Amino acid sequence: MTAEHEIELRPFPPFLPPNATVLMMGSFPPAAEKRAMEFHYPNFQNDMWRVYGLVFFGDAMHFQRVGEKAFDAEKIKAFLAERGIGSCPGVRRAIRTHGNASDTYLKVVETVELPEILEKIPRCRRICTTGGKATEILLALLETEVKAKDFKTGTTITARCGDRDLLVTRLPSTSRAYPMKLEKKAEAYRKFFVEAGFTVAEQNR
């Protein structure tokens, strides 16, 4: 069996602050050689933490290590814990059929244990997905009438997981491969967090 066809376990556990009111769900972290830190969205080319920097601090470089092409995992964790934001990939085990981080070539072997995840964050009533693959995976784990192909980016639907009612918002991927400017991605995330009751940074006009 070649390396790219090995079954991989997610490299980081779900990050679940007990006070979390929202849960961010992507698909599956990149391979080790693409990680600039040991935490969710670790690829320095991925704009997730630049988006968070813009939304909450008005500064895309807020979570970047000074002088390094890397993000500060401990600073990110402290922020997420303080604000009550969880993060969890939708896939627990996967095969990279082309050996890269592309969701297009990701074969899902085992999805996340969502009911158990939600038990650990009892206040969570909102989930946001961070791309198309993540959305498909999550909808398959929820009770909802909406199909992934009909779930447009930037919109919110209702769903259930067990006895919990949820609002699910599809947000744009923060991958550089997704054709949207950083500022536009940040606008979508800002809207989500404002609707979820979070205080965000004032926008520069």
Side-chain angles (χ1 to χ4, degrees):
M1 180 181 286
T2 56
E4 64 264 28
H5 290 99
E6 292 178 357
I7 297 175
E8 295 182 40
L9 175 67
R10 63 188 178 208
F12 321 117
F15 185 77
L16 305 170
N19 62 331
T21 57
V22 303
L23 178 64
M24 180 171 63
M25 295 191 71
S27 53
F28 197 69
E33 63 269 18
K34 296 290 187 181
R35 299 176 205 151
M37 64 173 178
E38 292 302 300
F39 191 61
H40 302 245
Y41 304 93
N43 189 332
F44 190 67
Q45 296 305 309
N46 189 293
D47 283 328
M48 180 58 74
W49 304 118
R50 294 182 185 90
V51 164
Y52 267 73
L54 283 172
V55 170
F56 290 98
F57 300 96
D59 176 11
M61 297 177 65
H62 181 81
F63 291 110
Q64 183 175 337
R65 288 186 175 277
V66 177
E68 296 181 39
K69 289 186 175 181
F71 298 110
D72 188 329
E74 295 309 311
K75 188 173 184 177
I76 292 168
K77 290 176 189 177
F79 166 78
L80 296 177
E82 177 190 354
R83 292 298 186 100
I85 301 169
S87 180
C88 177
V91 178
R92 190 168 187 274
R93 296 180 188 272
I95 295 171
R96 302 181 202 276
T97 61
H98 282 52
N100 59 33
S102 172
D103 282 348
T104 304
Y105 305 114
L106 188 72
K107 181 179 179 182
V108 178
V109 176
E110 181 185 355
T111 53
V112 73
E113 60 283 22
L114 189 59
E116 290 87 345
I117 294 295
L118 290 176
E119 278 185 15
K120 296 176 181 178
I121 45 176
R123 294 177 57 197
C124 179
R125 294 294 184 274
R126 285 181 175 266
I127 299 177
C128 65
T129 61
T130 64
K133 187 78 169 184
T135 302
E136 292 174 18
I137 292 164
L138 177 60
L139 290 193
L141 302 176
L142 298 173
E143 298 171 46
T144 179
E145 299 296 320
V146 179
K147 306 297 183 186
K149 63 181 178 63
D150 301 320
F151 191 6
K152 304 302 181 186
T153 301
T155 62
T156 299
I157 63 170
T158 57
R160 284 180 66 84
C161 182
D163 60 357
R164 193 174 309 191
D165 291 317
L166 296 163
L167 291 174
V168 181
T169 302
R170 178 174 175 175
L171 293 175
S173 169
T174 52
S175 167
R176 294 282 177 89
Y178 187 74
M180 182 184 283
K181 289 183 178 180
L182 173 62
E183 291 76 15
K184 284 289 187 183
K185 293 179 182 182
E187 282 180 22
Y189 280 73
R190 172 188 293 274
K191 181 174 182 286
F192 167 75
F193 280 111
V194 168
E195 289 177 352
F198 286 74
T199 301
V200 298
E202 290 186 12
Q203 288 180 285
N204 293 325
R205 296 297 181 185

